[in-house]
Structure formats: structure tokens, C-alpha cells
Amino acid sequence: MRDAFGGAVEPTAPTIFGAENSGYESEEAAQTVYVLSERLGARDREARIELRQDEAGRLVMLAYTSLELLVECCGEAQPWVAVRLSDVSRVQNDSGAETVLWDIPLPTEIRRAGSPVEGSES
């Protein structure tokens, strides 16, 4: 199997543990994911999801299971929004993304440059 950027990906086993075994401090934290967004201006009322194009030309939404992983994979300057896990499909549909890719590291040359940004929660 290959990821969106042509790298090999190992198939994963189905989840067999509940949130109580995940290492999260609360169920709420376990239900939050982080999605790449466009920069928000002071007058913006809604976040715009940042879509990327994969090697097949599909528009994809990139989501991360932790903020630490997002920063590691995308850099400190990447804007993001916190989304409830249960809302990911709705956000995907509303944004026009064909699929969601999880925890994908972006090559350094296509990461956002600049100073760290703060995300927002939806």
C-alpha cells in the first residue's frame, strides 16, 4: 500500500482497545482530532479547511490524531482546527475533500514557512 506522497504504508490492524487504554486523560481528548486549515483573519467567522492534492490528483483533507503529531508532520507554522472525531465526515463533505488522510508527514519543501500559529477549536 502507498500513501499520498508515494511512500510505502504498512496496513494496520483493527482497533481492539477502548479509549480507556489509549493513554488519553479524558474521553473528550480522545475524541478530538486536528485538521489542517487556512490562516484565520481577525474577522473570519469560519475556518477554511486546507486541502492538498495527492499523487492521483484527488483533493484530500489531512487530519492528525494529536497536536504533537501535527506539528511533527507539518511544522509549527501550520494552521489547524480542532474537530470532534464524530464530525470528521461532515467536515470532509463540506470541504469538498474526496478522502481523509491520517497522520501523514508533509515533505519539508511543501510545509508552511513562518512563525508558529495557534489553532482554533470547532
Side-chain angles (χ1 to χ4, degrees):
M1 205 157 53
R2 298 237 173 248
D3 67 19
F5 305 105
V9 175
E10 294 293 322
T12 58
T15 303
I16 58 172
F17 293 108
E20 68 277 5
N21 297 33
S22 67
Y24 287 104
E25 292 180 19
S26 71
E27 183 68 25
E28 182 179 327
Q31 298 300 317
T32 301
V33 298
Y34 303 88
V35 176
L36 302 191
S37 72
E38 298 292 332
R39 288 201 194 282
L40 295 175
R43 296 180 185 232
D44 289 336
R45 292 185 164 266
E46 295 181 352
R48 291 185 192 180
I49 301 303
E50 180 180 313
L51 301 179
R52 300 279 182 137
Q53 207 169 34
D54 69 5
E55 287 183 337
R58 299 177 303 172
L59 285 178
V60 298
M61 181 173 88
L62 299 178
Y64 296 84
T65 52
S66 74
L67 187 53
E68 293 80 14
L69 192 54
L70 182 145
V71 171
E72 179 183 318
C73 291
C74 301
E76 291 184 356
Q78 176 62 54
W80 54 269
V81 291
V83 175
R84 286 186 301 270
L85 183 59
S86 60
D87 290 336
V88 169
S89 290
R90 179 186 55 79
V91 172
Q92 175 193 351
N93 289 332
D94 289 352
S95 72
E98 295 177 54
T99 192
V100 178
L101 298 179
W102 291 92
D103 299 333
I104 300 292
L106 294 179
T108 305
E109 62 272 10
I110 65 171
R111 292 182 183 191
R112 296 234 184 181
S115 57
V117 295
E118 303 227 357
S120 67
E121 298 192 23
S122 70

